[in-house]
Amino acid sequence: MAQWNRLCNLPAVYRQQLDELYDKDVLPMEVRHYLAGWIEEQEWKRAAQDYDLAMVLYQVLLGNLDIQHSRFVHNVAFLQRHNIRRYKQNFQMYEDDPCVLASNVLWYLEKEKDILQNADLTDQVHVLQIEQEAMEISSQQDLERKLIGLQNEVQCIKHAMSCLEEQQDEFDFKYQTFKMEVVTDEAVKNEQNKIFQVLINRLNECRKGVLVDLRKHLDKTEELINLLVKKELVEWQRRQQRACIGAPVSVCLEQLEKWFTRVAVCLFQVRDFLDKLDELVGKVSYANDPIKIKKPALQQKTDKLLHDLLKSSFVVESQPSMPQGKGALVLRTNVQFSVKTRLLVKFPELNHSMTVKVFMDREVPQIKGYRRFNVLGTVTKALNMVESQNGGMVADFRHLTLKEQKSSGGKGSSDISLSVTEELHIICFDTVFQYKDLTVHLQASSLPVVIISNSSQQQSAWASILWFNMISQDTKDVMFFTNCPAATWPQFAEMLSWQFLAAAKRGLTEDQQQMIARKLFGIKQDYDNCNVAWSKFSKENSPDTFWVWFDGILVMVKTFLEDLWREGHIMGFVSKGKEKLLLKKKQSGTFLLRFSESVIGGITFSWVETSLNGEPDVKTVQPFTKVDLMQIPLVEIIRNFQILEAGNIPVNPLVYLYPNTSKEEAFAKYYSEESGDKSPYIKYIKTKLVFVSKENTLEAVSPMSSDVAQGEGLEPITGLCGEVVGQDEDCPFVCSSVETFPHAPMLCDSTLCPDEDFPMCLSGTDPFLYDDSLTVDSVLPELSGFQEFISSPTQTCGSTF
């Protein structure tokens, strides 16, 4: 029930997301609320694939609803009883296929976690940006003061307009009365004329004063609009770009919406004042009337400011994204995507009166082979407040798709050509703002998107999105990759850190960034002036580019190691040489976790122990990949890892997580409740790995290897219990085939660091030969049924794990 309680205590904006999540009867919110504790305790993921378990949970769910129904015994609970009875009837549709029910409940629980993660990320944003926010708050306070001053001026002008109208009414009444009277005395006429001249002079001065006030007000409004449009909105757009690639920044539009709306209201009041001046001129006018002279320019400036403000106020609030995509701005043909537009000028009178249309940018770049697409689905939507979480003017497109136009043979005239994943497109939105007598055509456009036709292109497409939004400030530059600029190391390191922050809520430390920089550029005193080329990031050494290697780690961490990474238990990015230096200074049994430099999506651990001569000795296991981690969690591998010491005594050499945290303190809360033979992972531990002596060197023999070749000169090996390993049905004796590792994608082109291990092509050499010696009786038994699981010292072959 902890998850539901957290959700109920979130700020209003996230509770609104929860309301929108439970707007259907698939899993009613009342059922989720009343049965929260029971729902969160069940294994819905397993039930979604296990019919028997799903049927049990289905029947228990109906029973719980009966219990809840019986609790509403009072008349005041009549409605709740009715709803519970109806929900139970609806759930009976899953009687034939309860696995569907389990899948639905699991989906809702995962979506709830997404809401909680977004709320946590917002909290992190607040913590990470204290100094920046202080500056922003100061800037916002200054802008707020100017807005309040602008609104006060409007009230002053309104009062001046009332005084002007009263003064003109007084003059008009007296003048019309005088004209109706028959006055023959010239002296009286002259005296009256002098009085009227004084009144008209006062009226003239009052008109001039109002016009001056309006001009000054428009000048201040123009200054404020420039501040909003050219600074605040541009900064928000840049933040949105960064947020699309994982930056922990706020892209909330509520404050901008308030500012834009307040300025628009002031301008519409000015238009009302100008209309009133026309009305006054219609009643009383005279030679050199200042209203007739000055008003046209004021009207023109007012309308221009309104046009500028309104055109800038139509934005794309949520960039195009697919529900199952890697991130925003990567779209696949014939797969639905969503996008949301918003008008920052909010008038209730506009609700349902504006329609937004979506289409692809019609300006086709002159690029050879550049593709064209049509937008399909509901391409027009009303701009209204119904689909907004906070009452904003929103058009939310949720079910759009893209279809490529058939080639007509005239795609571009340039010799420039791009790959599909470097080809950028823009989605556009049109609407018409109509309020009172003002009509303004508005257009917004998305950030450039990459359109793919196959899921295999998604990884490369996301690399292009990362690169564009990390560097480009021109959000309409679809020619960006025709002359792609390099990224500075500070830009690049920050972007890499964002990927981990977005995936597992913990970015890269400075030490981790330095290790990556060292691999890219070699050893340098300072990396701030180093640049990373686009080709270095995603083009060189294809298919095993730097991004493929880095993204493989991201996927592994997000899928299997999120908690360990978030708590800082994985050192991750550390060179083999640095690893040795760190561990050799620590007590025996200290170990650390790091990512493989040559195995895509691999993680390994190394530990230090005291050798026979009393020197520290660092040993490393072969990397585990998703194949291994899908079968058994890394914490269970660490928990059960053993080697045999003298006397065939099994010992787990992993005692302290670097620098000096007890293994149990770090990992115990993640262990399964059962251990040993009762462990739920025991079925994956079916084979044995042993070290055997051969010509004074040691070989690791892995019965789990899938690609195997019979070892030459090897004899059947007796296992721990005296059986012949080669005759064990569960552990057929085979020798690992020679494994070669590709060029590590993160190695720099310059001279490699002397303390690193470098991938080499192995020929005629067992890849599991080691320099460091173990006793002849050393064995790695029983445990390791993990695929290609080796407890190994440093390798002479040079393979980097």
Side-chain angles (χ1 to χ4, degrees), residues 663-787:
K663 177 180 68 176
E664 302 304 318
E665 180 183 344
F667 301 117
K669 64 182 178 181
Y670 301 114
Y671 292 163
S672 64
E673 294 182 1
E674 302 291 344
S675 60
D677 292 340
K678 295 182 180 180
S679 170
Y681 304 105
I682 192 67
K683 63 182 178 180
Y684 300 114
I685 306 175
K686 296 179 179 178
T687 60
K688 304 169 186 177
L689 302 181
V690 295
F691 286 109
V692 298
S693 175
K694 179 183 178 183
E695 298 178 356
N696 297 322
T697 63
L698 294 174
E699 297 181 4
V701 182
S702 173
M704 283 290 290
S705 178
S706 57
D707 298 321
V708 295
Q710 182 66 40
E712 296 180 4
L714 295 177
E715 300 295 331
I717 303 172
T718 303
L720 291 180
C721 301
E723 77 277 23
V724 177
V725 179
Q727 298 173 355
D728 189 343
E729 291 182 359
D730 290 333
C731 183
F733 177 71
V734 289
C735 180
S736 298
S737 63
V738 175
E739 180 177 2
T740 60
F741 294 92
H743 171 69
M746 61 184 299
L747 295 180
C748 59
D749 293 330
S750 58
T751 303
L752 298 173
C753 310
D755 61 346
E756 305 298 331
D757 287 340
F758 309 118
M760 297 174 59
C761 179
L762 307 180
S763 177
T765 304
D766 191 310
F768 303 120
L769 293 182
Y770 307 103
D771 283 336
D772 300 331
S773 296
L774 295 175
T775 62
V776 173
D777 294 330
S778 266
V779 186
L780 181 63
E782 286 297 330
L783 147 127
S784 76
F786 322 130
Q787 187 164 354

Side-chain angles (χ1 to χ4, degrees), residues 627-658:
V627 175
D628 309 301
L629 301 181
M630 285 174 66
Q631 297 177 343
I632 180 168
L634 183 63
V635 292
E636 293 294 334
I637 296 175
I638 295 171
R639 179 189 188 183
N640 294 291
F641 183 76
Q642 290 181 342
I643 60 175
L644 287 189
E645 293 189 341
N648 284 348
I649 301 175
V651 174
N652 190 325
L654 312 178
V655 183
Y656 306 104
L657 178 65
Y658 185 90

